[in-house]
Amino acid sequence: MYTRNLRIVTFAIVSMFFLHSFAENNWNVPADKKARNSTIKFDATTSKVGESVYTKNCVSCHGDPTKGNSLKSLSPVPPDLASAKTQELTDGELFYILNTGRVIMPSFNNVLSEEDRWKIISYIRSFNKDYVQQLSISDTNKSQLVKVDMAFDKKSNQITVTVKANEKTGVVSLKDDEIVLFANRYFGRLQIGESQRTTADGVAVFDFPKDLPGDKDGNVKLVVKVNDDTYGEISRLKTMKIGVPTDIPSMTADRTIWNVLFKPIWIIVLYTFGVMVFGCVLLYLLYSLNRLRKAGNI
Ligand code: HEC
């Protein structure tokens, strides 16, 4: 009985040890992600940009590469990214780790643009003399294969976004991709609802506000942003007649007060006259002050 218990305890301790070291060391990056290469070429300029992005987002935990000054109070301790262990990872693995994160290591998928994420890797690699970059040529144009469809359902007031890629081997639905929907406004963009993840069929559904103003015909310019690991960041624009028709006079319309093209002559005359009157009053005041001063002197 005693030996049996001992065996169970030993087994438990040994497996815990294995599980722990397994969890610490292995990122279990899927083979296709591991083999992924950057779409931008690493050089001094990309590393420089990468350094500034690193300083803002990573240095607080990982410290300065080669300095070994990472935040030791964390468990696991964030590795020094110039270390041999990190440098052994492929570019694809580094990119994957940046995208997904793990427990304490945050996910930067939605925080940094794809370009910035590769530039950080460029910076991390600049500490490795032996590193030779493998560029991905075929990946660069992959985003062009992606087709984004948008359909509006009047009854539910919802927009259905479908993302597919037309590969030579057939059509692939992009699943579990982050989709963000915006409406273009006069100044900047308005995000519609929360970001969504696509289903296995590459579909994401957004509730569209019922009271969003469009132009005078109700047209709204929509921008949809897709974030896919393989196809990169994709942005598509589509105008849909789904807003509330609103007549906002354009800055060039005749009726606009501050029309940028044409100002009625009377506004210009009145304005010039106003400035001149103000100038004259000012001069008269100065003149009177001077006279007062002279009068006081006598
Ligand atoms: C909140 C602290 C924190 C921040 C911020 C952070 N990391 Fe991490 N990072 C960690 C921790 C902790 C680990 C170890 C995680 C593990 O092994 O489970 C880690 C692991 C990593 C690894 C894997 C290294 C290896 O050898 O296994 C890479 C690469 C990495 N981080 C890159 C970055 C980059 C690049 C940034 C900035 C964009 C960043 N991290 C921001 C805490 C952080």
Side-chain angles (χ1 to χ4, degrees):
M1 194 65 194
Y2 174 72
T3 41
R4 195 171 156 235
N5 278 348
L6 193 72
R7 245 187 279 157
I8 292 173
V9 169
T10 317
F11 176 75
I13 289 175
V14 169
S15 49
M16 262 165 65
F17 176 78
F18 269 110
L19 272 180
H20 188 246
S21 52
F22 186 72
E24 282 233 310
N25 292 320
N26 201 333
W27 283 88
N28 285 324
V29 179
D32 58 325
K33 304 265 158 74
K34 183 173 172 172
R36 206 174 157 198
N37 291 320
S38 167
T39 42
I40 60 165
K41 187 160 167 29
F42 297 166
D43 55 25
T45 320
T46 56
S47 296
K48 189 99 198 114
V49 177
E51 179 178 4
S52 72
V53 187
Y54 180 92
T55 308
K56 283 196 204 98
N57 296 280
C58 324
V59 92
S60 54
C61 288
H62 286 278
D64 305 293
T66 70
K67 299 273 158 61
N69 57 350
S70 58
L71 205 59
K72 300 288 185 314
S73 54
L74 294 178
S75 171
V77 173
D80 185 326
L81 300 183
S83 70
K85 184 179 148 263
T86 304
Q87 293 293 338
E88 269 168 21
L89 298 166
T90 66
D91 289 350
E93 283 176 310
L94 290 173
F95 192 72
Y96 180 84
I97 293 169
L98 266 178
N99 286 345
T100 58
R102 177 163 80 187
V103 196
I104 303 178
M105 166 69 197
S107 136
F108 287 91
N109 201 12
N110 301 324
V111 180
L112 300 173
S113 71
E114 179 174 346
E115 208 179 303
D116 279 351
R117 278 175 270 148
W118 283 120
K119 284 179 180 169
I120 292 184
I121 296 172
S122 167
Y123 171 65
I124 295 173
R125 290 304 194 195
S126 69
F127 295 93
N128 182 349
K129 290 194 305 304
D130 302 328
Y131 171 75
V132 182
Q133 189 187 8
Q134 306 231 307
L135 260 172
S136 166
I137 311 292
S138 58
D139 266 5
T140 357
N141 291 322
K142 274 217 145 191
S143 69
Q144 291 169 8
L145 301 177
V146 176
K147 197 163 173 286
V148 182
D149 275 326
M150 278 191 255
F152 180 67
D153 180 47
K154 249 203 183 113
K155 231 188 257 153
S156 60
N157 229 60
Q158 282 177 326
I159 294 183
T160 307
V161 179
T162 315
V163 252
K164 297 205 158 118
N166 290 317
E167 286 285 0
K168 278 193 215 89
T169 47
V171 179
V172 189
S173 295
L174 304 190
K175 68 162 193 276
D176 204 30
D177 274 2
E178 169 164 79
I179 314 280
V180 198
L181 186 68
F182 300 95
N184 264 358
R185 305 274 85 193
Y186 250 147
F187 301 103
R189 288 169 169 179
L190 173 79
Q191 187 175 345
I192 310 285
E194 306 260 300
S195 66
Q196 307 275 345
R197 293 222 167 248
T198 50
T199 60
D201 307 325
V203 173
V205 179
F206 291 85
D207 288 323
F208 194 76
K210 285 208 166 71
D211 51 359
L212 197 88
D215 68 3
K216 65 180 188 311
D217 298 321
N219 286 318
V220 178
K221 278 198 187 113
L222 293 169
V223 180
V224 66
K225 274 186 80 178
V226 182
N227 212 330
D228 185 88
D229 276 355
T230 311
Y231 297 91
E233 277 181 353
I234 300 134
S235 181
R236 295 287 142 87
L237 199 115
K238 186 169 181 179
T239 304
M240 290 175 103
K241 211 168 165 170
I242 53 178
V244 179
T246 313
D247 195 5
I248 306 165
S250 93
M251 298 297 261
T252 54
D254 282 355
R255 285 174 46 230
T256 318
I257 292 183
W258 293 114
N259 185 315
V260 288
L261 284 187
F262 161 79
K263 295 205 181 7
I265 198 82
W266 62 266
I267 290 192
I268 297 169
V269 170
L270 212 67
Y271 175 78
T272 319
F273 183 70
V275 172
M276 270 161 56
V277 167
F278 181 74
C280 291
V281 170
L282 209 68
L283 281 176
Y284 178 71
L285 273 177
L286 286 175
Y287 169 74
S288 307
L289 273 176
N290 199 26
R291 267 193 19 188
L292 269 177
R293 193 172 56 91
K294 278 196 184 139
N297 278 348
I298 295 168

PDB file of all heavy atoms in Angstrom, residues 24 27 57-58 61-62 74 76 78-79 81 85-86 89 94 97-98 102 104-106 108 112 120 124, ligand 1:
ATOM      1  N   GLU A  24       6.596  25.707 -20.274  1.00  0.00           N
ATOM      2  CA  GLU A  24       7.512  26.836 -20.287  1.00  0.00           C
ATOM      3  C   GLU A  24       8.251  26.966 -21.607  1.00  0.00           C
ATOM      4  O   GLU A  24       8.544  28.057 -22.053  1.00  0.00           O
ATOM      5  CB  GLU A  24       8.539  26.658 -19.175  1.00  0.00           C
ATOM      6  CG  GLU A  24       7.993  27.013 -17.825  1.00  0.00           C
ATOM      7  CD  GLU A  24       8.874  28.006 -17.127  1.00  0.00           C
ATOM      8  OE1 GLU A  24      10.088  27.765 -17.063  1.00  0.00           O
ATOM      9  OE2 GLU A  24       8.337  29.005 -16.647  1.00  0.00           O
ATOM     10  N   TRP A  27       6.100  26.424 -27.479  1.00  0.00           N
ATOM     11  CA  TRP A  27       4.992  27.301 -27.856  1.00  0.00           C
ATOM     12  C   TRP A  27       3.991  26.598 -28.753  1.00  0.00           C
ATOM     13  O   TRP A  27       2.965  27.180 -29.107  1.00  0.00           O
ATOM     14  CB  TRP A  27       5.516  28.562 -28.534  1.00  0.00           C
ATOM     15  CG  TRP A  27       6.072  29.542 -27.562  1.00  0.00           C
ATOM     16  CD1 TRP A  27       7.338  29.597 -27.094  1.00  0.00           C
ATOM     17  CD2 TRP A  27       5.373  30.596 -26.907  1.00  0.00           C
ATOM     18  NE1 TRP A  27       7.482  30.623 -26.205  1.00  0.00           N
ATOM     19  CE2 TRP A  27       6.286  31.255 -26.068  1.00  0.00           C
ATOM     20  CE3 TRP A  27       4.052  31.051 -26.947  1.00  0.00           C
ATOM     21  CZ2 TRP A  27       5.924  32.339 -25.279  1.00  0.00           C
ATOM     22  CZ3 TRP A  27       3.699  32.135 -26.162  1.00  0.00           C
ATOM     23  CH2 TRP A  27       4.632  32.766 -25.331  1.00  0.00           C
ATOM     24  N   ASN A  57       6.254  48.995 -26.128  1.00  0.00           N
ATOM     25  CA  ASN A  57       5.361  47.873 -25.828  1.00  0.00           C
ATOM     26  C   ASN A  57       5.989  46.689 -25.099  1.00  0.00           C
ATOM     27  O   ASN A  57       5.265  45.884 -24.534  1.00  0.00           O
ATOM     28  CB  ASN A  57       4.741  47.335 -27.127  1.00  0.00           C
ATOM     29  CG  ASN A  57       3.868  48.363 -27.799  1.00  0.00           C
ATOM     30  OD1 ASN A  57       2.731  48.557 -27.398  1.00  0.00           O
ATOM     31  ND2 ASN A  57       4.392  49.025 -28.799  1.00  0.00           N
ATOM     32  N   CYS A  58       7.290  46.560 -25.149  1.00  0.00           N
ATOM     33  CA  CYS A  58       7.888  45.311 -24.679  1.00  0.00           C
ATOM     34  C   CYS A  58       8.918  45.509 -23.578  1.00  0.00           C
ATOM     35  O   CYS A  58       9.116  44.639 -22.738  1.00  0.00           O
ATOM     36  CB  CYS A  58       8.565  44.575 -25.825  1.00  0.00           C
ATOM     37  SG  CYS A  58       7.715  44.711 -27.403  1.00  0.00           S
ATOM     38  N   CYS A  61       8.645  44.648 -19.722  1.00  0.00           N
ATOM     39  CA  CYS A  61       8.737  43.263 -19.243  1.00  0.00           C
ATOM     40  C   CYS A  61      10.051  42.612 -19.659  1.00  0.00           C
ATOM     41  O   CYS A  61      10.724  41.986 -18.845  1.00  0.00           O
ATOM     42  CB  CYS A  61       7.592  42.428 -19.802  1.00  0.00           C
ATOM     43  SG  CYS A  61       6.005  42.824 -19.066  1.00  0.00           S
ATOM     44  N   HIS A  62      10.413  42.757 -20.936  1.00  0.00           N
ATOM     45  CA  HIS A  62      11.558  41.996 -21.455  1.00  0.00           C
ATOM     46  C   HIS A  62      12.886  42.702 -21.236  1.00  0.00           C
ATOM     47  O   HIS A  62      13.938  42.090 -21.431  1.00  0.00           O
ATOM     48  CB  HIS A  62      11.379  41.715 -22.950  1.00  0.00           C
ATOM     49  CG  HIS A  62      10.355  40.664 -23.226  1.00  0.00           C
ATOM     50  ND1 HIS A  62      10.638  39.317 -23.153  1.00  0.00           N
ATOM     51  CD2 HIS A  62       9.051  40.749 -23.540  1.00  0.00           C
ATOM     52  CE1 HIS A  62       9.550  38.624 -23.429  1.00  0.00           C
ATOM     53  NE2 HIS A  62       8.558  39.467 -23.660  1.00  0.00           N
ATOM     54  N   LEU A  74       8.204  38.509 -12.499  1.00  0.00           N
ATOM     55  CA  LEU A  74       7.163  37.746 -13.189  1.00  0.00           C
ATOM     56  C   LEU A  74       7.533  36.270 -13.227  1.00  0.00           C
ATOM     57  O   LEU A  74       8.694  35.910 -13.196  1.00  0.00           O
ATOM     58  CB  LEU A  74       6.983  38.261 -14.618  1.00  0.00           C
ATOM     59  CG  LEU A  74       6.447  39.681 -14.767  1.00  0.00           C
ATOM     60  CD1 LEU A  74       6.374  40.051 -16.239  1.00  0.00           C
ATOM     61  CD2 LEU A  74       5.094  39.827 -14.117  1.00  0.00           C
ATOM     62  N   PRO A  76       6.349  32.909 -15.615  1.00  0.00           N
ATOM     63  CA  PRO A  76       7.779  32.795 -15.921  1.00  0.00           C
ATOM     64  C   PRO A  76       8.416  34.159 -16.181  1.00  0.00           C
ATOM     65  O   PRO A  76       7.729  35.092 -16.589  1.00  0.00           O
ATOM     66  CB  PRO A  76       7.781  31.967 -17.212  1.00  0.00           C
ATOM     67  CG  PRO A  76       6.456  32.216 -17.831  1.00  0.00           C
ATOM     68  CD  PRO A  76       5.494  32.398 -16.697  1.00  0.00           C
ATOM     69  N   PRO A  78      10.117  36.899 -18.180  1.00  0.00           N
ATOM     70  CA  PRO A  78      10.171  37.156 -19.627  1.00  0.00           C
ATOM     71  C   PRO A  78      11.603  37.004 -20.128  1.00  0.00           C
ATOM     72  O   PRO A  78      12.509  37.601 -19.552  1.00  0.00           O
ATOM     73  CB  PRO A  78       9.704  38.611 -19.743  1.00  0.00           C
ATOM     74  CG  PRO A  78       9.063  38.940 -18.441  1.00  0.00           C
ATOM     75  CD  PRO A  78       9.668  38.062 -17.411  1.00  0.00           C
ATOM     76  N   PRO A  79      11.811  36.177 -21.150  1.00  0.00           N
ATOM     77  CA  PRO A  79      13.184  35.945 -21.599  1.00  0.00           C
ATOM     78  C   PRO A  79      13.799  37.200 -22.235  1.00  0.00           C
ATOM     79  O   PRO A  79      13.080  38.041 -22.769  1.00  0.00           O
ATOM     80  CB  PRO A  79      13.034  34.849 -22.668  1.00  0.00           C
ATOM     81  CG  PRO A  79      11.639  34.376 -22.602  1.00  0.00           C
ATOM     82  CD  PRO A  79      10.826  35.419 -21.930  1.00  0.00           C
ATOM     83  N   LEU A  81      15.226  38.737 -25.203  1.00  0.00           N
ATOM     84  CA  LEU A  81      14.920  38.307 -26.569  1.00  0.00           C
ATOM     85  C   LEU A  81      16.161  38.195 -27.453  1.00  0.00           C
ATOM     86  O   LEU A  81      16.084  37.698 -28.579  1.00  0.00           O
ATOM     87  CB  LEU A  81      13.874  39.235 -27.196  1.00  0.00           C
ATOM     88  CG  LEU A  81      12.532  39.271 -26.430  1.00  0.00           C
ATOM     89  CD1 LEU A  81      11.529  40.155 -27.144  1.00  0.00           C
ATOM     90  CD2 LEU A  81      11.951  37.877 -26.220  1.00  0.00           C
ATOM     91  N   LYS A  85      18.134  31.069 -26.871  1.00  0.00           N
ATOM     92  CA  LYS A  85      16.893  30.300 -26.874  1.00  0.00           C
ATOM     93  C   LYS A  85      15.831  30.989 -27.728  1.00  0.00           C
ATOM     94  O   LYS A  85      15.150  30.338 -28.533  1.00  0.00           O
ATOM     95  CB  LYS A  85      16.407  30.164 -25.425  1.00  0.00           C
ATOM     96  CG  LYS A  85      15.183  29.299 -25.283  1.00  0.00           C
ATOM     97  CD  LYS A  85      14.769  29.181 -23.821  1.00  0.00           C
ATOM     98  CE  LYS A  85      13.275  29.034 -23.705  1.00  0.00           C
ATOM     99  NZ  LYS A  85      12.547  30.266 -23.437  1.00  0.00           N
ATOM    100  N   THR A  86      15.695  32.284 -27.588  1.00  0.00           N
ATOM    101  CA  THR A  86      14.707  33.005 -28.391  1.00  0.00           C
ATOM    102  C   THR A  86      15.141  33.072 -29.858  1.00  0.00           C
ATOM    103  O   THR A  86      14.326  32.912 -30.761  1.00  0.00           O
ATOM    104  CB  THR A  86      14.504  34.430 -27.845  1.00  0.00           C
ATOM    105  OG1 THR A  86      14.141  34.343 -26.476  1.00  0.00           O
ATOM    106  CG2 THR A  86      13.429  35.175 -28.598  1.00  0.00           C
ATOM    107  N   LEU A  89      14.146  30.379 -32.326  1.00  0.00           N
ATOM    108  CA  LEU A  89      12.785  30.338 -32.877  1.00  0.00           C
ATOM    109  C   LEU A  89      12.800  30.896 -34.306  1.00  0.00           C
ATOM    110  O   LEU A  89      13.606  31.770 -34.630  1.00  0.00           O
ATOM    111  CB  LEU A  89      11.842  31.192 -32.009  1.00  0.00           C
ATOM    112  CG  LEU A  89      11.686  30.745 -30.552  1.00  0.00           C
ATOM    113  CD1 LEU A  89      11.028  31.841 -29.725  1.00  0.00           C
ATOM    114  CD2 LEU A  89      10.854  29.473 -30.471  1.00  0.00           C
ATOM    115  N   LEU A  94       8.147  33.571 -33.859  1.00  0.00           N
ATOM    116  CA  LEU A  94       8.149  34.856 -33.141  1.00  0.00           C
ATOM    117  C   LEU A  94       6.864  35.632 -33.457  1.00  0.00           C
ATOM    118  O   LEU A  94       6.222  36.180 -32.565  1.00  0.00           O
ATOM    119  CB  LEU A  94       9.372  35.690 -33.546  1.00  0.00           C
ATOM    120  CG  LEU A  94      10.724  35.177 -33.070  1.00  0.00           C
ATOM    121  CD1 LEU A  94      11.850  35.996 -33.675  1.00  0.00           C
ATOM    122  CD2 LEU A  94      10.811  35.218 -31.546  1.00  0.00           C
ATOM    123  N   ILE A  97       3.960  34.057 -31.628  1.00  0.00           N
ATOM    124  CA  ILE A  97       3.986  34.379 -30.190  1.00  0.00           C
ATOM    125  C   ILE A  97       3.477  35.805 -29.968  1.00  0.00           C
ATOM    126  O   ILE A  97       2.670  36.070 -29.088  1.00  0.00           O
ATOM    127  CB  ILE A  97       5.419  34.213 -29.628  1.00  0.00           C
ATOM    128  CG1 ILE A  97       5.825  32.741 -29.663  1.00  0.00           C
ATOM    129  CG2 ILE A  97       5.525  34.778 -28.224  1.00  0.00           C
ATOM    130  CD1 ILE A  97       7.291  32.484 -29.388  1.00  0.00           C
ATOM    131  N   LEU A  98       3.941  36.719 -30.841  1.00  0.00           N
ATOM    132  CA  LEU A  98       3.481  38.111 -30.747  1.00  0.00           C
ATOM    133  C   LEU A  98       1.975  38.211 -30.953  1.00  0.00           C
ATOM    134  O   LEU A  98       1.303  39.011 -30.326  1.00  0.00           O
ATOM    135  CB  LEU A  98       4.165  38.938 -31.830  1.00  0.00           C
ATOM    136  CG  LEU A  98       5.424  39.653 -31.431  1.00  0.00           C
ATOM    137  CD1 LEU A  98       6.004  40.384 -32.611  1.00  0.00           C
ATOM    138  CD2 LEU A  98       5.094  40.642 -30.344  1.00  0.00           C
ATOM    139  N   ARG A 102       0.616  34.467 -24.327  1.00  0.00           N
ATOM    140  CA  ARG A 102       0.339  33.312 -23.473  1.00  0.00           C
ATOM    141  C   ARG A 102       0.380  33.783 -22.029  1.00  0.00           C
ATOM    142  O   ARG A 102       1.386  34.330 -21.579  1.00  0.00           O
ATOM    143  CB  ARG A 102       1.383  32.218 -23.721  1.00  0.00           C
ATOM    144  CG  ARG A 102       1.183  31.015 -22.817  1.00  0.00           C
ATOM    145  CD  ARG A 102       1.929  29.815 -23.321  1.00  0.00           C
ATOM    146  NE  ARG A 102       3.346  29.850 -22.988  1.00  0.00           N
ATOM    147  CZ  ARG A 102       4.220  28.947 -23.449  1.00  0.00           C
ATOM    148  NH1 ARG A 102       3.841  28.010 -24.277  1.00  0.00           N
ATOM    149  NH2 ARG A 102       5.482  29.021 -23.100  1.00  0.00           N
ATOM    150  N   ILE A 104       0.915  35.615 -19.262  1.00  0.00           N
ATOM    151  CA  ILE A 104       1.375  36.978 -18.963  1.00  0.00           C
ATOM    152  C   ILE A 104       1.769  37.713 -20.236  1.00  0.00           C
ATOM    153  O   ILE A 104       1.536  38.902 -20.392  1.00  0.00           O
ATOM    154  CB  ILE A 104       2.588  36.946 -18.002  1.00  0.00           C
ATOM    155  CG1 ILE A 104       2.210  36.200 -16.729  1.00  0.00           C
ATOM    156  CG2 ILE A 104       3.042  38.366 -17.671  1.00  0.00           C
ATOM    157  CD1 ILE A 104       3.333  36.070 -15.742  1.00  0.00           C
ATOM    158  N   MET A 105       2.386  36.973 -21.147  1.00  0.00           N
ATOM    159  CA  MET A 105       2.795  37.588 -22.427  1.00  0.00           C
ATOM    160  C   MET A 105       1.539  37.991 -23.196  1.00  0.00           C
ATOM    161  O   MET A 105       0.735  37.137 -23.583  1.00  0.00           O
ATOM    162  CB  MET A 105       3.632  36.570 -23.195  1.00  0.00           C
ATOM    163  CG  MET A 105       3.859  36.897 -24.646  1.00  0.00           C
ATOM    164  SD  MET A 105       4.945  38.314 -24.887  1.00  0.00           S
ATOM    165  CE  MET A 105       4.573  38.711 -26.581  1.00  0.00           C
ATOM    166  N   PRO A 106       1.332  39.305 -23.394  1.00  0.00           N
ATOM    167  CA  PRO A 106       0.078  39.739 -24.035  1.00  0.00           C
ATOM    168  C   PRO A 106       0.042  39.403 -25.533  1.00  0.00           C
ATOM    169  O   PRO A 106       1.080  39.155 -26.134  1.00  0.00           O
ATOM    170  CB  PRO A 106       0.091  41.264 -23.848  1.00  0.00           C
ATOM    171  CG  PRO A 106       1.315  41.607 -23.088  1.00  0.00           C
ATOM    172  CD  PRO A 106       2.216  40.430 -23.095  1.00  0.00           C
ATOM    173  N   PHE A 108      -0.518  40.781 -29.263  1.00  0.00           N
ATOM    174  CA  PHE A 108      -0.401  42.100 -29.890  1.00  0.00           C
ATOM    175  C   PHE A 108      -1.106  42.168 -31.237  1.00  0.00           C
ATOM    176  O   PHE A 108      -0.953  43.121 -31.984  1.00  0.00           O
ATOM    177  CB  PHE A 108       1.071  42.486 -30.037  1.00  0.00           C
ATOM    178  CG  PHE A 108       1.701  42.845 -28.731  1.00  0.00           C
ATOM    179  CD1 PHE A 108       2.335  41.877 -27.965  1.00  0.00           C
ATOM    180  CD2 PHE A 108       1.625  44.129 -28.235  1.00  0.00           C
ATOM    181  CE1 PHE A 108       2.900  42.201 -26.744  1.00  0.00           C
ATOM    182  CE2 PHE A 108       2.175  44.461 -27.013  1.00  0.00           C
ATOM    183  CZ  PHE A 108       2.816  43.498 -26.260  1.00  0.00           C
ATOM    184  N   LEU A 112      -0.880  46.149 -32.420  1.00  0.00           N
ATOM    185  CA  LEU A 112       0.124  46.654 -33.362  1.00  0.00           C
ATOM    186  C   LEU A 112      -0.233  46.206 -34.771  1.00  0.00           C
ATOM    187  O   LEU A 112      -0.769  45.106 -34.952  1.00  0.00           O
ATOM    188  CB  LEU A 112       1.505  46.100 -32.987  1.00  0.00           C
ATOM    189  CG  LEU A 112       2.039  46.444 -31.603  1.00  0.00           C
ATOM    190  CD1 LEU A 112       3.315  45.681 -31.321  1.00  0.00           C
ATOM    191  CD2 LEU A 112       2.293  47.932 -31.478  1.00  0.00           C
ATOM    192  N   ILE A 120       9.380  44.775 -35.231  1.00  0.00           N
ATOM    193  CA  ILE A 120       9.926  44.389 -33.922  1.00  0.00           C
ATOM    194  C   ILE A 120      10.813  43.167 -34.095  1.00  0.00           C
ATOM    195  O   ILE A 120      11.904  43.082 -33.522  1.00  0.00           O
ATOM    196  CB  ILE A 120       8.792  44.065 -32.922  1.00  0.00           C
ATOM    197  CG1 ILE A 120       8.020  45.323 -32.562  1.00  0.00           C
ATOM    198  CG2 ILE A 120       9.367  43.439 -31.668  1.00  0.00           C
ATOM    199  CD1 ILE A 120       6.952  45.083 -31.519  1.00  0.00           C
ATOM    200  N   ILE A 124      14.613  42.527 -33.067  1.00  0.00           N
ATOM    201  CA  ILE A 124      15.079  41.403 -32.243  1.00  0.00           C
ATOM    202  C   ILE A 124      16.207  40.662 -32.976  1.00  0.00           C
ATOM    203  O   ILE A 124      17.193  40.247 -32.374  1.00  0.00           O
ATOM    204  CB  ILE A 124      13.911  40.430 -31.940  1.00  0.00           C
ATOM    205  CG1 ILE A 124      12.852  41.117 -31.065  1.00  0.00           C
ATOM    206  CG2 ILE A 124      14.403  39.170 -31.247  1.00  0.00           C
ATOM    207  CD1 ILE A 124      11.587  40.284 -30.866  1.00  0.00           C
TER     208      ILE A 124
HETATM  209  C1  HEC B   1       3.439  41.998 -19.404  1.00  0.00           C
HETATM  210  C2  HEC B   1       4.764  41.569 -19.698  1.00  0.00           C
HETATM  211  C3  HEC B   1       5.158  41.340 -21.139  1.00  0.00           C
HETATM  212  C4  HEC B   1       5.084  42.223 -22.184  1.00  0.00           C
HETATM  213  C5  HEC B   1       4.574  43.652 -22.173  1.00  0.00           C
HETATM  214  C6  HEC B   1       5.641  41.538 -23.322  1.00  0.00           C
HETATM  215  N1  HEC B   1       6.004  40.257 -22.982  1.00  0.00           N
HETATM  216 FE1  HEC B   1       6.827  38.854 -24.215  1.00  0.00          FE
HETATM  217  N2  HEC B   1       6.793  37.515 -22.711  1.00  0.00           N
HETATM  218  C7  HEC B   1       6.402  37.760 -21.420  1.00  0.00           C
HETATM  219  C8  HEC B   1       6.505  36.552 -20.658  1.00  0.00           C
HETATM  220  C9  HEC B   1       6.189  36.376 -19.187  1.00  0.00           C
HETATM  221  C10 HEC B   1       6.994  35.554 -21.537  1.00  0.00           C
HETATM  222  C11 HEC B   1       7.231  34.079 -21.236  1.00  0.00           C
HETATM  223  C12 HEC B   1       5.898  33.417 -21.481  1.00  0.00           C
HETATM  224  C13 HEC B   1       5.885  31.932 -21.367  1.00  0.00           C
HETATM  225  O1  HEC B   1       6.930  31.297 -21.548  1.00  0.00           O
HETATM  226  O2  HEC B   1       4.798  31.411 -21.144  1.00  0.00           O
HETATM  227  C14 HEC B   1       7.166  36.193 -22.820  1.00  0.00           C
HETATM  228  C15 HEC B   1       7.629  35.557 -23.942  1.00  0.00           C
HETATM  229  C16 HEC B   1       7.937  36.186 -25.123  1.00  0.00           C
HETATM  230  C17 HEC B   1       8.575  35.538 -26.257  1.00  0.00           C
HETATM  231  C18 HEC B   1       9.017  34.103 -26.336  1.00  0.00           C
HETATM  232  C19 HEC B   1      10.478  34.029 -26.018  1.00  0.00           C
HETATM  233  C20 HEC B   1      11.007  32.662 -25.844  1.00  0.00           C
HETATM  234  O3  HEC B   1      12.235  32.516 -25.983  1.00  0.00           O
HETATM  235  O4  HEC B   1      10.225  31.757 -25.536  1.00  0.00           O
HETATM  236  C21 HEC B   1       8.729  36.492 -27.213  1.00  0.00           C
HETATM  237  C22 HEC B   1       9.364  36.325 -28.571  1.00  0.00           C
HETATM  238  C23 HEC B   1       8.178  37.724 -26.680  1.00  0.00           C
HETATM  239  N3  HEC B   1       7.694  37.491 -25.418  1.00  0.00           N
HETATM  240  C24 HEC B   1       8.175  38.917 -27.359  1.00  0.00           C
HETATM  241  C25 HEC B   1       7.571  40.086 -26.869  1.00  0.00           C
HETATM  242  C26 HEC B   1       7.504  41.309 -27.612  1.00  0.00           C
HETATM  243  C27 HEC B   1       8.138  41.543 -28.979  1.00  0.00           C
HETATM  244  C28 HEC B   1       6.789  42.179 -26.857  1.00  0.00           C
HETATM  245  C29 HEC B   1       6.355  43.603 -27.215  1.00  0.00           C
HETATM  246  C30 HEC B   1       5.608  43.776 -28.423  1.00  0.00           C
HETATM  247  C31 HEC B   1       6.455  41.520 -25.612  1.00  0.00           C
HETATM  248  N4  HEC B   1       6.945  40.239 -25.660  1.00  0.00           N
HETATM  249  C32 HEC B   1       5.771  42.110 -24.565  1.00  0.00           C
HETATM  250  C33 HEC B   1       5.960  38.957 -20.923  1.00  0.00           C
HETATM  251  C34 HEC B   1       5.727  40.107 -21.651  1.00  0.00           C
END
